[in-house]
Amino acid sequence: MNLILLCLIMVVLTVIGYWLGQRQAVSAAGGDARRLHSLPSYHGFYVALCALLPAIVLFVLWLIVEPIIAEQVLISRLPAEVQSQDPNALRLLVGDIKSLALGNIVSREIDASLQAAADGYASVRGAGRLGMTVAVLALLLAGAAWAWRRISVDHRARNGVEMIASGIMILASTIAILTTLGIIFSLLFETGRFFEKVPFFEFLFGTKWSPQTALRADQVGASGAFGAIPLFAGTLLITVIAICVAVPVGLCSAIYMSEYAGPRLRALAKPALEILAGVPTVVYGFFAALTVAPFFRNSGEALGLTVSSESALAAGVVMGIMIIPFVSSLSDDVMNAVPQTLRDGAYALGATKSETIRQVIVPAALPGIVGAVLLAVSRAIGETMIVVMAAGLAANLTANPFEAVTTVTVQIVTLLVGDQEFDSAKTLAAFALGLVLFATTLALNVVALNVVRKYREKYD
Amino acid sequence: MTEVAAPITEIRRPDLSGKRVARRYAAERRFRAYGLTAIFIAVAMLGLLLVSIVSKGYSAFVQTYVELEINFDAAKIDPDGTRDPAKLAAFNYQGLVNDALYAQFPDVTERRERRSLRGLIGNSAGIELRDMVLADPGLIGTTREVAFKSSDDFDTFVKGHISRDLAEADRRVKDQEIAWIDALEADGQVDVRFNTTFFTTGDSREPEQAGIWGAAVGSFLTLTITLLLSFPIGVLAAVYLEEFAPKNRLTDLIEVNINNLAAVPSIVFGLLGLAVFLNFLGMPRSAPLVGGMVLALMTLPTIIIAARAALKAVPPSIREAALGVGASRLQTVTHHVLPLAMPGILTGTIIGMAQALGETAPLLMIGMVAFIVDIPGGFTDPATVLPVQIYLWADAPERAFVAKTSAAIMVLLTFLIFMNAVAVLLRKRFERRW
C-alpha cells in the first residue's frame, strides 16, 4: 500500500506543479496573459510533465532493478560454503529466505542464521523502499523547479508540451512492435534452449510424443520422446472437422443474409451470429465436453461404433460452431462489396438470383471468401480452451475422427500448467510448440490479410 | 449476295421450354433453402448452447437446507460456565449436529450407517454453529431449530438430478439415504432457499461452499489493470497513427504489425507473459497485475483498430476549420477530433474488455489457475478469474459442480451481455453520421 501512497503523492505534487506553473506564467506577463507566447495552461502542463515523467521513469526502473540488487546483496552476505553450493539448492534457499522475510510459509526449519539472513534481506528491501521514495520525490521536485524557473513571457511552453506529447504517442505506437518482438525473441530463445536438448529433426519429424522426462536416472517408463508429428496431425484433424462445419454453414448464411434476407431477418440473425462470436471459448469447451461429446458417444454406441468420449469429432464440431461467425461476417462484407452493376448485368441476361450468386457474385468475391476461410483456419489452429476441455491428452497418430487426438495448444497447456522446472526439456518443448503455432498462424494471417486487401482495392 | 449454304451444325439456342424454367426455379428454391437452413443451424446451435447451460445451471442458484433441532447443551459446550471465547471456539460443534441427527433417527446405531447419516449434512455445519455461538453466547443452554446446508449429493438428489429409478449401485445416493431424505422431507425439515453462498465466497473443494465472488473480484482487478494500460496506450497509438504519423516504412510496419497481432492466438500472449513478465522480470505468479498486463497486450490491437476507425470517421472539414482559426495540430486533435471520436473509441474499448473478460488460455500460462480460497485483496495477491474458475470447476469430479459451472457461466454471460449492450447503446446514442 506504500506504493499506492507514493503514487498519490506524486499525482498531488504534479497537480500543484500545474497550478503553480500557470500562476507563475500569468504573473510573469504582469497579469496580462495575452503577452505570453503560450497559453498559461501550457506553462502549467510543461511544469507538470517535466516533474512527472522523469520521476515515473525512475520509479519503474527502481521497481525492476531493486529486487535484483537486494538478492545479490543477500547472496553475498551468505557464508562462502553456502554460496558455492549447487545453484538449484541456492535458489531454493534464497526463495525461502525471501518468503521468511515477507512472513510467508517456509519449507524448512527456521534457525538463527536463516532468520538473520531474512532480517538482513528485509532491512535491505526497507532501505531500498525508503531510498526510492526519497529519490523519486526529489527528482519530481527538481524537475518541477527547473521547469518553473524557465517560465517567462517568451518561453515556448506549447511547443515543448507538444513535442513531449508526440514523443509519448510515438512510444505508445511502438508498443505493438515491441510486443511482436517480445513474442518472437522469447519464443526463439527458449526454443533454442530446447533444441540443445532435443534434435531439431526429431522434433519436427518424429512420430512419438511422450514428454515425460525422467526425474531420476533409474526411473522406468519416462524416456521422453518429442516427436511432434502426432500433435500436428491431431491439430490438422480437428481443424479440418471444424472447417467442414463452419465453411458450408457460414458461407450459406452469409449468402442468404447479403442477397436474400429482408431487413427484419437480418436484424435478427446478424446479432445472433455476433453472439456466437462473443461467447467465451471456455463456455464452448464446457458445452463440448458435457453435452456434445456424450451425445456423439451415445449415438455412436447406438449405431454400433466405438466413439471415444474425447473424440476429435466433438471438439471439431464445437470449434466449427465457434468459427461460423468469422466465416460469415467477413464473407458477408465481401459479397456486399461486389458492385451492383455485376448483379444487374447478370439479371439482364436472364439469370435467376441463385445463378447470379453462384456464377457471378461468389466468383467475384472468391478472394475475399478465401481470406475469410484462412483467417478462420488460423483461429481454429490457435484455439485452446475447447480442445483443452474436450480433446484428449494421448498423442495418437490417427485420421479417425472418432478417436481421441491431442493438439499443439493442448500440449502447451499441459506442459506449462502445474509445477514447472524451467530448464527441463518438457517445459521448453512448450515454447517450441508455441513458436510453431505462432509461425503458422502468422503466415496464414499475412496471406489472408493480403488477399483481402488486394480484393478490397479491386472494387474500391 | 450469294446464297449461303445451310449451316452444318445447328445453331445452339437457349432451351426456353417450361420444363427447364421449372428446373431452374426449383434450383433457385433449393438454394434459398440451403441459406435458410444454414442460418437456422447457426441460430439453433446458439439456442442449444444456451438452453443446455441454463437447464444445467439454474438449480445452482438455490441450495437445499435441512432444519435440525440443535440442543446447545451448556454442560458440553461450556462446562465451567466462564463463557471464555477461546474455550467456546475450541469446542467441537459438529458433535451437536451429529447428536441432533442421531436423535432424529434413533434406530440408526451401526457405525457405517451413522457415518452415511452424518454425510447428509455439509461439513461446514460445525463452523456455522461455532460462529453463531461466538456471536451470541446467550444461545448456550437453549434448544432451537437451525438450518444447515445439506451435502452436495443430498442437494443434487432433492433437485432431481439423481434419478430414483437407477440401480442402487449406479447411484451416488443409496436407498437408505433416500429413506432418510424422504423422512426429513415428510417432516417439513427440508427447505430450498436462494443460494447466497454462491455469490459471496471463494472457491472450495465442497460444492455447497464454493462461490464465485473470489473469481469475480479477481476478474475485476485484472480488468482494471487491463483497462488502465490498454485504453491510454491504445488511444495514443491510434491518434498518432491516424493524425500525426508520416507515411513511411516504419508506420507501414506498425500498421501491418497491429493487424497481425490482432490475429495471434491468445495462448501465445500467455507464453510471452510467462517468459518475459514471470521469468525475466520476476513478477509474482497468479497475480492480477501480470494477468492484466498480458490481457492488455492482447486487447491493445482491438482498441487501436477500433479507435482508428472512429478517428477516420470524423470528417476532415472539422480539422481544417480548427487549423484555419489557428489551432495547433495537437489542439485540433484534443479539442475537436478526439471528443467527436470518443463514443466510437469507447465502444471499441468495451468490446475489447468483454473479450478480455472471457479470455482463459493466456491466464493458464501465468499461473492464475491455482486453487485459491481467499478473496484477493490487491493487485499482487494470488487470484483467479471467472473463466478460469469455470475451467477449474468443469474439471471437478463432483456431480454438483456441473450445476455450479453452468451457473458461473450464466453469471459470466450476463456480464458479457451487459457490456455488449452498453457498447451497442453507446453506438446508437452517440453515433453521428456526417
Side-chain angles (χ1 to χ4, degrees):
Chain A
M1 289 304 112
N2 202 356
L3 284 181
I4 290 177
L5 187 67
L6 180 59
C7 291
L8 278 179
I9 293 176
M10 284 164 68
V11 169
V12 169
L13 286 179
T14 310
V15 172
I16 294 175
Y18 171 82
W19 184 68
L20 284 179
Q22 207 177 356
R23 258 188 36 162
Q24 173 66 17
V26 176
S27 71
D32 182 7
R34 282 174 304 176
R35 286 181 54 216
L36 288 167
H37 166 269
S38 310
L39 291 171
S41 63
Y42 278 104
H43 288 277
F45 275 126
Y46 190 71
V47 174
L49 286 174
C50 287
L52 195 60
L53 287 183
I56 286 182
V57 171
L58 182 70
F59 182 62
V60 172
L61 279 183
W62 201 297
L63 278 185
I64 294 171
V65 173
E66 196 235 39
I68 301 171
I69 295 178
E71 190 179 309
Q72 293 303 323
V73 172
L74 167 66
I75 292 174
S76 69
R77 278 188 188 169
L78 291 173
E81 72 270 15
V82 179
Q83 278 187 46
S84 58
Q85 67 183 328
D86 148 62
N88 280 328
L90 184 64
R91 205 183 311 149
L92 272 180
L93 177 68
V94 167
D96 272 347
I97 293 174
K98 279 185 190 167
S99 41
L100 183 60
L102 291 172
N104 290 341
I105 303 159
V106 176
S107 62
R108 66 182 77 202
E109 270 318 288
I110 302 171
D111 57 16
S113 65
L114 196 71
Q115 187 65 49
D119 290 345
Y121 179 73
S123 75
V124 169
R125 290 301 301 266
R129 261 301 144 78
L130 191 68
M132 175 177 75
T133 311
V134 171
V136 165
L137 291 181
L139 189 64
L140 192 139
L141 292 176
W146 178 79
W148 190 76
R149 290 200 40 188
R150 294 194 57 186
I151 292 174
S152 68
V153 176
D154 296 327
H155 177 46
R156 297 175 157 253
R158 181 173 62 78
N159 304 46
V161 169
E162 292 191 348
M163 220 173 70
I164 297 174
S166 65
I168 294 177
M169 285 193 289
I170 292 176
L171 210 66
S173 31
T174 48
I175 294 222
I177 291 211
L178 288 182
T179 309
T180 310
L181 287 182
I183 290 174
I184 293 174
F185 281 110
S186 60
L187 290 180
L188 274 180
F189 178 69
E190 306 291 354
T191 308
R193 283 168 64 195
F194 173 68
F195 286 132
E196 281 166 18
K197 294 171 197 258
V198 176
F200 179 70
F201 285 102
E202 190 192 314
F203 174 71
L204 268 195
F205 302 109
T207 54
K208 194 169 175 310
W209 177 266
S210 132
Q212 292 307 322
T213 39
L215 294 172
R216 302 186 310 274
D218 55 342
Q219 205 167 352
V220 186
S223 51
F226 291 95
I229 287 289
L231 311 190
F232 299 152
T235 310
L236 194 68
L237 177 62
I238 289 184
T239 306
V240 166
I241 296 171
I243 291 299
C244 288
V245 173
V247 168
V249 176
L251 202 55
C252 286
S253 38
I255 287 173
Y256 193 86
M257 291 227 280
S258 75
E259 304 296 326
Y260 288 105
R264 277 194 29 220
L265 182 67
R266 244 180 112 84
L268 230 86
K270 223 173 151 92
L273 286 178
E274 274 170 22
I275 293 177
L276 220 45
V279 172
T281 53
V282 69
V283 177
Y284 281 114
F286 182 70
F287 179 61
L290 263 93
T291 307
V292 179
F295 169 75
F296 279 134
R297 197 188 50 218
N298 296 339
S299 5
E301 253 169 34
L303 294 172
L305 294 165
T306 42
V307 181
S308 155
S309 56
E310 294 177 326
S311 62
L313 193 61
V317 166
V318 174
M319 197 188 276
I321 296 172
M322 186 198 81
I323 56 178
I324 287 173
F326 293 94
V327 178
S328 74
S329 73
L330 208 55
S331 313
D332 192 7
D333 283 354
V334 294
M335 277 188 290
N336 275 329
V338 172
Q340 186 63 30
T341 48
L342 287 185
R343 291 187 185 86
D344 294 344
Y347 294 149
L349 290 174
T352 64
K353 210 159 188 180
S354 67
E355 284 161 356
T356 310
I357 293 166
R358 271 181 302 194
Q359 291 166 19
V360 178
I361 297 176
V362 169
L366 198 59
I369 294 173
V370 169
V373 173
L374 286 183
L375 280 183
V377 170
S378 132
R379 192 55 72 145
I381 290 177
E383 171 44 43
T384 310
M385 291 320 292
I386 295 177
V387 280
V388 166
M389 292 167 84
L393 287 174
N396 297 325
L397 189 52
T398 172
N400 180 355
F402 300 133
E403 276 184 45
V405 295
T406 191
T407 72
V408 172
T409 46
V410 172
Q411 288 305 318
I412 294 177
V413 169
T414 38
L415 291 176
L416 285 181
V417 169
D419 300 327
Q420 1 169 317
E421 194 187 341
F422 218 73
D423 35 14
S424 74
K426 197 177 143 190
T427 47
L428 292 176
F431 284 90
L433 290 175
L435 185 64
V436 173
L437 184 67
F438 179 71
T440 318
T441 51
L442 187 71
L444 279 171
N445 293 336
V446 170
V447 172
L449 290 175
N450 266 331
V451 168
V452 172
R453 201 173 58 191
K454 282 250 169 62
Y455 163 78
R456 285 229 173 98
E457 277 163 10
K458 206 165 103 191
Y459 289 118
D460 258 350
Chain B
M1 287 293 251
T2 52
E3 282 280 306
V4 179
I8 302 160
T9 52
E10 215 180 315
I11 293 173
R12 229 184 121 214
R13 294 180 186 286
D15 175 9
L16 295 175
S17 65
K19 228 166 110 190
R20 179 160 177 272
V21 171
R23 213 167 55 228
R24 287 173 62 198
Y25 282 168
E28 171 76 29
R29 278 194 299 277
R30 274 202 306 279
F31 194 72
R32 271 185 89 126
Y34 296 150
L36 258 184
T37 320
I39 292 185
F40 177 74
I41 290 177
V43 174
M45 283 300 164
L46 179 66
L48 185 66
L49 176 76
L50 295 180
V51 167
S52 90
I53 284 174
V54 172
S55 67
K56 281 196 182 98
Y58 74 94
S59 65
F61 292 118
V62 292
Q63 164 76 38
T64 309
Y65 280 79
V66 184
E67 279 169 19
L68 289 176
E69 191 100 333
I70 297 290
N71 177 15
F72 293 94
D73 190 351
K76 277 186 185 164
I77 302 176
D78 192 20
D80 319 333
T82 53
R83 300 286 192 266
D84 173 16
K87 278 201 179 139
L88 290 185
F91 179 70
N92 176 18
Y93 290 91
Q94 196 74 39
L96 296 181
V97 183
N98 297 343
D99 290 345
L101 276 172
Y102 300 153
Q104 182 96 30
F105 298 101
D107 47 334
V108 180
T109 48
E110 204 204 327
R111 280 186 55 155
R112 280 245 311 273
E113 288 187 336
R114 281 194 152 185
R115 191 193 303 150
S116 54
L117 179 61
R118 290 199 299 268
L120 290 181
I121 304 292
N123 55 14
S124 66
I127 300 165
E128 281 167 28
L129 275 186
R130 189 192 67 196
D131 293 344
M132 276 173 70
V133 170
L134 287 179
D136 177 17
L139 281 175
I140 298 171
T142 62
T143 300
R144 64 173 67 186
E145 292 254 306
V146 182
F148 298 103
K149 284 185 203 120
S150 68
S151 69
D152 54 322
D153 286 337
F154 187 159
D155 188 43
T156 319
F157 176 76
V158 169
K159 287 171 183 167
H161 294 308
I162 297 177
S163 167
R164 279 168 200 260
D165 308 333
L166 278 173
E168 189 177 2
D170 298 340
R171 210 181 321 119
R172 288 273 299 171
V173 182
K174 303 297 169 207
D175 286 345
Q176 192 181 29
E177 287 164 309
I178 290 181
W180 290 330
I181 294 172
D182 288 343
L184 285 170
E185 275 189 321
D187 283 354
Q189 283 171 288
V190 177
D191 189 14
V192 176
R193 300 180 190 176
F194 182 71
N195 187 359
T196 47
T197 314
F198 183 68
F199 293 100
T200 53
T201 60
D203 197 5
S204 170
R205 296 273 184 237
E206 305 293 335
E208 71 271 9
Q209 291 164 42
I212 53 162
W213 182 239
V217 171
S219 270
F220 175 76
L221 293 172
T222 309
L223 282 191
T224 308
I225 295 283
T226 306
L227 183 66
L228 286 181
L229 287 175
S230 62
F231 180 68
I233 295 178
V235 173
L236 286 172
V239 167
Y240 179 73
L241 292 175
E242 200 59 41
E243 304 286 330
F244 293 97
K247 204 73 186 122
N248 60 23
R249 295 269 293 279
L250 181 70
T251 48
D252 263 3
L253 182 71
I254 294 181
E255 196 165 341
V256 171
N257 188 19
I258 288 172
N259 286 336
N260 279 320
L261 217 48
V264 167
S266 60
I267 193 169
V268 173
F269 286 97
L271 289 174
L272 171 76
L274 175 62
V276 174
F277 295 147
L278 294 192
N279 287 329
F280 185 67
L281 294 178
M283 289 179 158
R285 282 178 74 82
S286 316
L289 177 68
V290 182
M293 286 165 71
V294 169
L295 292 183
L297 292 181
M298 208 192 76
T299 41
L300 202 53
T302 316
I303 294 183
I304 294 180
I305 291 171
R308 290 191 65 175
L311 289 169
K312 209 176 265 176
V314 177
S317 56
I318 304 251
R319 295 183 186 84
E320 282 152 16
L323 292 171
V325 296
S328 73
R329 277 172 51 173
L330 192 72
Q331 282 170 330
T332 307
V333 170
T334 51
H335 294 177
H336 303 285
V337 181
L338 207 52
L340 288 172
M342 218 14 116
I345 298 178
L346 287 180
T347 309
T349 308
I350 295 174
I351 289 171
M353 286 296 119
Q355 260 175 28
L357 175 61
E359 198 53 69
T360 321
L363 301 179
L364 299 183
M365 300 286 95
I366 53 162
M368 289 190 90
V369 65
F371 172 70
I372 291 154
V373 179
D374 298 326
I375 314 289
F379 293 112
T380 49
D381 286 359
T384 186
V385 294
L386 275 175
V388 178
Q389 188 69 72
I390 291 168
Y391 167 65
L392 286 171
W393 281 350
D395 259 6
E398 284 88 354
R399 179 73 178 73
F401 269 123
V402 173
K404 297 270 167 196
T405 315
S406 307
I409 289 176
M410 282 153 75
V411 172
L412 179 65
L413 288 181
T414 312
F415 275 122
L416 288 176
I417 289 172
F418 173 73
M419 288 170 86
N420 282 297
V422 169
V424 169
L425 219 70
L426 209 64
R427 186 156 45 188
K428 282 247 164 75
R429 178 88 176 65
F430 292 105
E431 194 180 48
R432 242 200 257 192
R433 297 248 167 234
W434 302 92

